[in-house]
C-alpha cells in the first residue's frame, strides 16, 4: 500500500490550506475544506475495511452514504496542516445509515472533523443534486469580502451586480452570481441547511459578517471562485468612497457573458 502522505489529495490539501493562510483568508482556526474522494484513489493508500473510530454526524447524510472525504479538523490552524497533515486532516467515510463518519486516517491526537462538516455535507448533497461532478466545499474569511458586508446591501442581486462591475472577468467566472445569508450562528445544522438551499442555485454563498462558502468540481475551481470575489471586493473597498467616473455597463456585462458562452443570471442585470 502506498504512503498516504504522498497521495495527490493530501498534497493538494497541504498546499491549498497553506496558500489560504498566506493570503490571510483563514486566521487562527478559521476556515475549513472538504474534498470528496473516489473510493479507488483512497484504496491505494488506506485499508477501507478498518476504520479507526466512529464519529457521529448529528444529522442524516444518507444521500452521501459510503462517500469518502478528506476534511480539515476542528480547531485546526491552516498554517499547521502542511507540517503535520496527519493531525490536522482526516479522511472519513460516511456510514451506510448516513448517521456517522468512519475515520479511516488522520486526527491523530484524538480530534475530529471541523464543526462545520455537517454544513459541508449538506452543501455537497445540494451541489451533487445539480452537478454530479462537484467534489469540493471550501469555507474561508477573505478580508475584503468580509469588509464589504458592512458597507454594502446584503441583497443577492445588488451585491452580485456590484461585484460583476468591479472586474471584467467576474461575470464570466461566477455567472450564476453570489448567494447571501443573513448573520446566523455558525457550526449548527440550521446554517448548514440554509447554505445547502442556496447551493442549489449558487456555487458561492456569503455568510454575512462571517465569510464565504465556495463549491467546485476541483480545488482550483472552488479556490478560484473565492479568489475572484475577493479581488472584486478589494477593488470595491478601494474605490467605494470615491466618485465613480467609469464602470462596466450592463450591456457590456451581457456582451461579455454571451461572448464567453456562460449561463448568466439575466435577472441580476438591469437591461431594457
Amino acid at each position: 500500500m502506498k504512503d498516504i502522505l504522498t497521495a495527490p489529495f493530501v498534497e493538494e490539501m497541504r498546499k491549498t490550506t497553506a496558500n489560504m493562510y498566506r493570503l490571510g483568508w483563514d486566521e487562527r482556526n478559521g476556515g475549513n475544506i472538504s474534498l470528496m474522494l473516489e473510493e479507488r484513489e483512497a484504496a491505494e493508500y488506506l485499508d477501507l475495511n478498518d476504520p479507526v473510530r466512529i464519529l457521529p454526524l448529528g444529522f442524516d447524510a444518507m444521500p452521501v452514504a459510503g462517500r469518502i472525504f478528506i476534511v480539515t479538523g476542528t480547531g485546526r490552524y491552516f498554517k499547521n496542516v502542511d507540517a503535520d497533515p496527519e493531525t490536522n486532516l482526516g479522511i472519513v467515510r460516511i456510514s451506510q445509515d448516513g448517521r456517522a463518519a468512519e475515520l479511516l486516517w488522520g486526527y491523530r491526537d484524538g480530534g475530529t472533523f471541523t464543526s462545520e462538516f455537517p454544513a459541508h455535507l449538506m452543501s455537497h448533497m445540494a451541489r451533487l443534486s445539480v452537478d454530479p461532478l462537484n467534489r469540493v466545499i471550501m469555507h474561508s474569511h477573505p478580508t475584503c469580502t468580509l469588509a464589504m458586508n458592512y458597507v454594502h446591501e446584503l441583497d443577492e442581486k445588488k451585491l452580485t451586480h456590484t461585484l460583476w462591475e468591479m472586474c471584467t472577468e467576474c461575470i464570466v467566472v461566477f455567472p450564476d452570481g453570489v448567494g447571501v445569508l443573513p448573520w446566523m450562528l455558525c457550526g449548527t445544522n440550521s446554517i448548514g441547511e440554509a447554505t445547502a438551499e442556496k447551493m442549489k442555485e449558487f456555487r458561492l454563498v456569503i455568510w454575512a459578517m462571517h465569510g464565504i462558502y465556495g463549491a467546485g468540481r476541483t480545488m482550483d475551481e472552488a479556490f478560484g471562485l473565492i479568489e475572484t470575489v475577493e479581488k472584486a471586493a478589494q477593488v470595491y473597498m478601494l474605490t467605494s468612497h470615491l466618485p465613480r467616473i467609469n464602470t462596466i455597463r450592463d450591456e457590456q456585462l451581457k456582451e461579455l457573458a454571451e461572448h464567453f458562452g456562460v449561463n448568466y443570471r439575466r435577472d441580476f442585470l438591469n437591461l431594457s
Side-chain angles (χ1 to χ4, degrees):
M1 195 165 288
K2 298 179 182 177
D3 180 2
I4 185 68
L5 296 181
T6 68
F9 47 84
V10 172
E11 292 181 351
E12 190 171 33
M13 288 287 278
R14 293 168 75 168
K15 291 175 181 176
T16 302
T17 51
N19 199 25
M20 293 171 75
Y21 181 79
R22 178 186 61 80
L23 290 167
W25 294 2
D26 297 275
E27 72 294 335
R28 198 174 181 270
N29 63 319
N32 27 78
I33 305 174
S34 60
L35 167 65
M36 188 168 67
L37 307 177
E38 296 291 339
E39 184 172 321
R40 56 172 176 75
E41 61 181 335
E44 293 183 35
Y45 303 91
L46 298 169
D47 181 352
L48 303 184
N49 298 312
D50 187 24
V52 180
R53 284 185 280 135
I54 304 299
L55 308 172
L57 287 173
F59 85 109
D60 184 1
M62 193 63 187
V64 287
R67 299 276 194 157
I68 298 171
F69 299 86
I70 181 168
V71 56
T72 49
T74 187
R76 304 305 179 182
Y77 292 28
F78 272 22
K79 70 181 180 70
N80 295 332
V81 173
D82 186 46
D84 188 4
E86 193 170 358
T87 297
N88 296 286
L89 301 175
I91 297 176
V92 300
R93 178 176 53 202
I94 306 306
S95 62
Q96 289 305 312
D97 65 1
R99 291 289 179 177
E102 300 163 353
L103 179 63
L104 302 172
W105 173 85
Y107 309 141
R108 178 170 52 185
D109 61 354
T112 187
F113 46 71
T114 170
S115 62
E116 289 171 2
F117 188 45
H120 278 240
L121 290 176
M122 293 175 195
S123 288
H124 276 288
M125 291 187 288
R127 288 307 305 166
L128 288 167
S129 72
V130 295
D131 179 8
L133 298 179
N134 191 84
R135 296 180 66 208
V136 180
I137 299 294
M138 182 179 291
H139 171 56
S140 64
H141 307 156
T143 305
C144 295
T145 303
L146 185 56
M148 191 175 175
N149 285 194
Y150 291 89
V151 296
H152 193 286
E153 290 178 82
L154 293 174
D155 174 271
E156 289 168 349
K157 177 178 178 178
K158 292 177 181 178
L159 185 65
T160 296
H161 190 275
T162 295
L163 292 169
W164 281 350
E165 288 181 315
M166 293 301 104
C167 304
T168 295
E169 67 174 349
C170 285
I171 195 170
V172 178
V173 174
F174 52 97
D176 41 344
V178 178
V180 179
L181 289 178
W183 186 91
M184 297 178 69
L185 184 63
C186 58
T188 65
N189 285 354
S190 294
I191 197 169
E193 291 161 359
T195 305
E197 193 59 34
K198 292 290 184 185
M199 280 279 179
K200 295 175 183 177
E201 188 176 355
F202 304 99
R203 292 171 298 157
L204 290 157
V205 179
I206 285 176
W207 285 6
M209 282 73 75
H210 181 147
I212 191 168
Y213 257 59
R217 297 180 175 186
T218 66
M219 198 81 82
D220 275 352
E221 181 186 358
F223 182 93
L225 286 168
I226 295 172
E227 185 178 36
T228 307
V229 167
E230 175 65 359
K231 170 57 74 67
Q234 182 181 24
V235 174
Y236 176 81
M237 294 305 296
L238 288 169
T239 60
S240 60
H241 61 293
L242 301 170
R244 178 77 70 88
I245 298 173
N246 303 301
T247 195
I248 306 173
R249 301 188 306 274
D250 281 32
E251 292 78 10
Q252 293 170 323
L253 291 170
K254 176 177 180 288
E255 183 182 5
L256 271 166
E258 294 182 354
H259 175 76
F260 286 97
V262 295
N263 185 20
Y264 66 104
R265 291 290 301 259
R266 291 182 60 88
D267 56 322
F268 279 13
L269 295 180
N270 301 309
L271 298 168
S272 55

